[in-house]
């Protein structure tokens, strides 16, 4: 099936090969030669598909073949094929990394390609195979910058990321304080080499190539593709001067209207940017307000950005917005909001007290999650000013019994122990309550209870000595080994005895040491170590294949490496290479023009609408190449071409005349053909429809006459299509099939048989003969077929039988269009009183009409129906079935086919066409004693396989 001419079938076979070639390598190798031939196909789509599949078959033994195919495709005239070659480079490199040096040569060649279709693909191959070979980009840097706007969106993203890394290695940092920015910096573009060398003592002046990259990527901020906008934004963030970063802000904010996934990535990158450059997004602060329809992860990111943007000027507005978020039904979001309030209080000292008072009010909230998060944040804020907030600590101690979240209870216990001297009366009472519930608390609460007991023992041992010993005894036998270890350590540390060493002397300094206040920072603080827009930045960990951005060079590398000398060779083609041994004049010879025309017609007829649109897009490059070569041709050849094109246009403008010749006497047909010759019609379509008698006499002579005339007149385009009508059936079975039994039909019985004659009711119908019998003792009236049909087949009903006497019979004819299917035709056979459901199940052989043709025509048509259109089998025949008469009789008995005369005794041929669609059905039986090979060719593949089973059964049956 790889060699099939059907492009849709080719695609399916290609997909199958790519999937299973690695598992069945030996079988996959059988198709390699077909792909090699397809690489020379005139249709660019077939060439590209063959290369795509050849490079996708991961069999190491064909690496040299793949390498050769990629090299040839890289010089193809079609940019679509060259693009496919660039994609194949990555596949070959992953299969055999040893081919790296050869692939780099192909990449270097394709990087010089001027087609926008190839640019993105070859840069992707460069990134996969040799991203460190920056020297390959030097000569193509300016071309890539200029082509960037016209490249497809996927290619734009790839090229922008590559150029970002390139610029960080070739240009000096524009973030210096003494930088000078000249938008018209092109003046230095063509200066001498000495003038281009910038002394370090002079102020920074932006490199014109650096400015070229920024200027050519700026229009892409208006792209509809979010990946392109994100790529340009990260390029400006890593390469542009600080004062120019504001141009990316609107484009990033515009992306909020996209899908949830896009919002997530964009907000992550904005969160990283907003830490360093708050002024960029402050004018668009309202765009980051949380909506009720946002998902939790989107809400959290917007909250993160709002917190980063907070300053003395807008903190009141942000705090009012945060107060609303605290009331959200989303518990996780409400907890994140409280964390954000704590960060604002830490970063902006003017609102610390306000935030703290607001968090204290939240302690009376009904939601445990809000209360717990508030306690944790208050604990962190109190560490900044503990002496001034003893009232808050007392308030939290009063609420301790109502708080059930372990983290919040542990935070209150830590505060009591850390600042027990500020609340000397309350702290021992809290420890007393904890001693009662110690065994039922969570592990984190138990640990803080032990710490509280130790600190109270050191600061107020008179009141808490016995209580501390009780808590330590409880912890000594706890099920958790961490609590047991902590308890034993604390006992040895705070209770001096003979075994405790010098460490117990420093117990107070260890446990009561002042702790630094925690710094509430953004989770995106360290994300800038990864390049924006990358997977590593999103995951906040280095992903496989990530390439770090290099630091700016201290001294700018030589600019001359990017200067390209344009050398125009006379008569050289723009793209690809012409075939060796063919001069420019022969390139435009008449014979080659005709060959190109025929090949283009074949390719256009076989390709789909999508492929036609792609070929139209890619035709510009080929037109350029042909125009550049036509300048070198002589004036004489130009004039000849003009005359020929005008002549061809006139021929094309005239519509072809269609002449239908039905069955006429030979003399009239000969006169008509002579009339055609005399009038010199330019394009004639002749449809010959013969009856059986005329076929035997005149068919061959008429066809020979048509071919002779077509050869004599080269200006006339002859399109001869022979349409043969059905011949008489060779064999008509007399057996009948029961349609309705007399018991079921209440005396009415019906039988049907196939007449194998052309149906008079319609060309697509099968002719049937019904025999209706009345076996009852009463007459049956109004026997007819109901208009209802359950399966939807087109049925021509017989005329209603008004009266059928007892013990009488009547024969009627009807037609059924089975649509070339063996599905049963269901209908209602009715009398005046009753309705009976009946069905006619056709055999596949009865859905055919016999035709006749010559042996040469049979062989020609059979050659067109190969691959999926062919069904074959080998059977062992009994000796009595080997004779020619027996084979013919048995085949035509099961299938309504015509017998084709054969010049070989051991080969029998039969031909027919389907009744409904008129598709050709060819059957050949080759006798090889004692076996026989059966081959059936037809476009109706299901019908062919069913017919094959019937023929096999007939030939292996020893009966009549």
């Amino acid at each position: 099936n790889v060699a099939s001419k059907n492009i849709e079938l080719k695609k399916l076979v290609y997909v199958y090969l790519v999937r299973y070639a690695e598992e069945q390598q030996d079988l996959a190798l059988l198709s390699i030669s077909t792909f090699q031939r397809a690489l020379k196909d005139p249709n660019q789509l077939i060439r590209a598909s063959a290369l795509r599949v050849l490079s996708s078959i991961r069999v190491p033994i064909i690496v040299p073949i793949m390498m050769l195919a990629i090299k040839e495709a890289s010089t193809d005239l079609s940019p679509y094929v060259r693009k496919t070659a660039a994609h194949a480079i990555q596949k070959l490199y992953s299969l055999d990394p040893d081919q790296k040096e050869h692939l780099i040569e192909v990449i270097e060649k394709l990087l010089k390609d001027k087609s926008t279709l190839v640019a993105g693909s070859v840069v992707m191959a460069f990134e996969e195979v040799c991203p460190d070979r920056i020297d390959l980009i030097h000569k193509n840097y300016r071309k890539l910058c200029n082509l960037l706007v016209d490249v497809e969106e996927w290619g734009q993203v790839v090229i922008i990321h590559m150029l970002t890394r390139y610029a960080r290695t070739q240009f000096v940092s524009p973030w210096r304080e003494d930088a000078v920015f000249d938008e018209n910096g092109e003046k230095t573009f063509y200066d001498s080499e000495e003038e281009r060398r910038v002394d370090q003592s002079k102020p920074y002046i932006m490199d014109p190539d650096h400015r070229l990259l920024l200027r050519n990527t700026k229009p892409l901020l208006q792209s509809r593709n979010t990946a392109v906008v994100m790529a340009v934004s990260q390029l400006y963030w890593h390469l542009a001067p600080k004062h120019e970063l504001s141009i990316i802000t609107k484009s990033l904010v515009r992306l909020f209207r996209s899908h949830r996934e896009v919002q997530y990535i964009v907000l992550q990158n904005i969160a990283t940017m907003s830490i360093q450059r708050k002024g960029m997004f402050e004018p668009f602060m309202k765009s980051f307000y949380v909506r009720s329809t946002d998902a939790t992860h989107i809400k959290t990111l917007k909250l993160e950005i709002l917190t980063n943007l907070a300053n003395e000027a807008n903190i009141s507005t942000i705090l009012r917005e945060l107060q609303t978020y605290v009331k959200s039904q989303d518990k996780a979001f409400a907890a994140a909001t409280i964390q954000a309030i704590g960060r604002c209080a830490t970063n902006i000292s003017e609102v610390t007290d306000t935030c703290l008072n607001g968090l204290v009010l939240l302690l009376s909230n009904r939601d445990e999650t809000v209360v717990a998060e508030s306690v944790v944040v208050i604990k962190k804020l109190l560490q900044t000013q503990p002496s001034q907030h003893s009232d808050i600590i007392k308030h939290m101690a009063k609420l301790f019994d109502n708080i059930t979240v372990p983290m919040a209870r542990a935070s209150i216990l830590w505060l009591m122990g850390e600042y027990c001297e500020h609340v000397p009366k309350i702290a021992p009472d809290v420890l007393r309550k904890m001693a009662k519930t110690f065994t039922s608390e969570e592990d984190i609460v138990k640990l803080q209870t032990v710490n509280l007991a130790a600190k109270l023992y050191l600061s107020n041992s008179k009141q808490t000595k016995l209580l501390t010993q009780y808590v330590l005894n409880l912890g000594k036998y706890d099920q958790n080994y961490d609590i047991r270890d902590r308890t034993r350590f604390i006992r040895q540390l705070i209770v001096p005895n003979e075994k405790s060493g010098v460490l117990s002397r420093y117990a107070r300094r260890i446990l009561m040491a002042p702790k630094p206040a925690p710094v509430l920072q953004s989770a995106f603080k360290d994300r800038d170590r990864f390049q924006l827009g990358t997977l590593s930045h999103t995951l906040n960990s280095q992903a496989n294949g990530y390439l770090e951005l290099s630091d700016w060079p201290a001294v700018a590398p030589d600019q001359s490496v990017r200067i390209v000398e344009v050398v125009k060779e006379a008569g050289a083609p723009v793209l690809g290479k012409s075939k060796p041994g063919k001069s420019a004049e022969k390139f435009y010879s008449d014979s080659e023009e005709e060959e190109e025309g025929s090949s283009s017609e074949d390719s256009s007829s076989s390709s789909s609408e999508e492929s036609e649109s792609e070929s139209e897009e890619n035709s510009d490059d080929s037109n350029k190449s042909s125009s550049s070569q036509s300048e070198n041709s002589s004036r004489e050849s130009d004039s000849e071409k003009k005359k020929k094109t005008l002549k061809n246009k006139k021929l094309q403008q005239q519509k072809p005349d269609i002449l239908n010749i039905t069955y006429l006497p030979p003399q009239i047909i000969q006169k008509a053909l002579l009339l055609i010759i005399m009038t010199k019609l330019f394009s004639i379509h002749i449809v010959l429809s013969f009856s059986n008698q005329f076929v035997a006499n005149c068919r061959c002579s008429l066809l020979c006459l048509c071919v002779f005339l077509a050869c004599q007149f080269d200006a006339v385009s002859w399109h001869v299509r022979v349409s043969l009508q059905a011949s008489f059936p060779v064999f008509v079975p007399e057996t009948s099939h029961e349609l309705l039994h007399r018991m079921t039909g209440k005396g009415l019985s019906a039988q049907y048989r196939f007449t194998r004659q052309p149906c008079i009711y319609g060309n697509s119908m099968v002719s049937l003969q019904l025999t209706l019998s009345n076996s009852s003792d009463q007459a049956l009236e109004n026997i007819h077929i109901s208009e209802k049909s359950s399966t939807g087949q087109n049925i021509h009903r017989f005329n209603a039988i008004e009266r059928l006497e007892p013990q009488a019979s009547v024969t009627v004819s009807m037609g059924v269009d089975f649509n070339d299917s063996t599905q049963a035709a269901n209908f209602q056979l009715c009398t005046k009183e009753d309705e009976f459901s009946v069905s006619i199940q056709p055999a596949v052989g009865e859905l055919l009409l016999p035709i006749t043709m010559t042996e040469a025509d049979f062989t020609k048509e059979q050659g067109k129906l190969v691959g999926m259109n062919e069904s074959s089998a080998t059977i062992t025949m009994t000796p009595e079935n080997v004779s020619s008469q027996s084979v013919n009789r048995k085949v035509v008995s099961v299938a309504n086919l015509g017998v084709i005369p054969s010049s070989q005794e051991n080969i029998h041929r039969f031909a027919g066409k389907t009744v409904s669609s008129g598709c050709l059905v060819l059957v050949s039986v080759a006798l090889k004693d004692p076996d026989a090979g059966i081959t059936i060719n037809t476009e109706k593949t299901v019908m062919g396989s069913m017919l094959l089973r019937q023929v096999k059964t007939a030939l292996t049956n020893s009966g009549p």
Side-chain angles (χ1 to χ4, degrees), residues 354-546:
T354 306
C355 293
L356 197 54
N357 293 332
L359 292 174
V360 172
L361 293 176
L362 292 177
L363 293 177
S364 57
N365 196 293
R366 295 181 180 179
D367 190 355
E368 292 183 357
T369 307
V370 174
V371 175
E373 202 65 37
S374 301
V375 170
V376 175
V377 175
I378 289 173
K379 168 207 160 193
K380 296 178 181 178
L381 292 178
L382 288 181
Q383 289 183 255
T384 58
Q385 299 171 335
S387 59
Q388 302 177 11
H389 300 291
S390 58
D391 294 337
I392 296 176
I393 298 175
K394 293 177 182 178
H395 181 67
M396 295 172 67
K398 294 178 182 178
L399 297 174
F400 184 77
D401 292 338
N402 299 326
I403 297 174
T404 58
V405 178
M407 189 64 192
R409 292 174 68 85
S411 298
I412 294 177
L413 291 176
W414 186 89
L415 283 174
M416 292 295 168
E418 189 68 20
Y419 307 115
C420 57
E421 297 177 353
H422 298 284
V423 284
K425 297 181 180 180
I426 296 177
D429 198 43
V430 172
L431 180 62
R432 180 182 59 82
K433 290 183 178 180
M434 289 305 304
K436 289 183 178 181
T437 61
F438 185 86
T439 55
S440 60
E441 297 289 346
E442 295 290 334
D443 293 342
I444 188 173
V445 181
K446 291 179 180 179
L447 289 173
Q448 291 302 328
T449 303
V450 173
N451 286 342
L452 173 62
K455 292 177 182 178
L456 288 176
Y457 182 87
L458 294 175
S459 61
N460 189 5
S461 61
K462 292 182 180 181
Q463 291 183 339
T464 59
K465 182 176 181 180
L466 295 176
L467 196 57
T468 301
Q469 291 179 356
Y470 176 73
V471 171
L472 293 178
N473 287 332
L474 291 176
K476 182 179 180 180
Y477 300 103
D478 196 85
Q479 292 182 354
N480 190 302
Y481 58 83
D482 285 334
I483 297 173
R484 296 197 301 268
D485 289 348
R486 176 70 63 87
T487 303
R488 289 163 183 165
F489 168 72
I490 292 293
R491 184 187 295 275
Q492 294 296 325
L493 184 64
I494 65 175
V495 182
N497 54 29
E498 298 178 358
K499 294 183 180 180
S500 59
V502 186
L503 194 62
S504 60
R505 302 176 187 175
Y506 304 99
R508 186 177 183 86
R509 295 177 60 181
I510 292 174
L511 293 176
M512 307 294 289
K515 280 80 173 176
V519 180
L520 301 179
Q521 295 179 341
S522 170
F524 289 83
K525 187 178 188 324
D526 298 327
R527 290 273 183 108
D528 56 349
R529 71 181 188 274
F530 297 113
Q531 183 179 351
L532 295 185
T534 59
L535 178 64
S536 299
H537 178 269
T538 303
L539 301 177
N540 196 23
S541 63
Q542 185 165 336
N544 187 23
Y546 174 74

Side-chain angles (χ1 to χ4, degrees), residues 752-769:
Y752 69 92
R753 74 179 187 90
F754 295 92
T755 64
R756 293 194 173 183
Q757 298 288 343
C759 186
I760 61 175
Y761 305 120
N763 294 331
S764 62
M765 288 188 174
V766 176
S767 179
L768 293 165
Q769 190 178 79

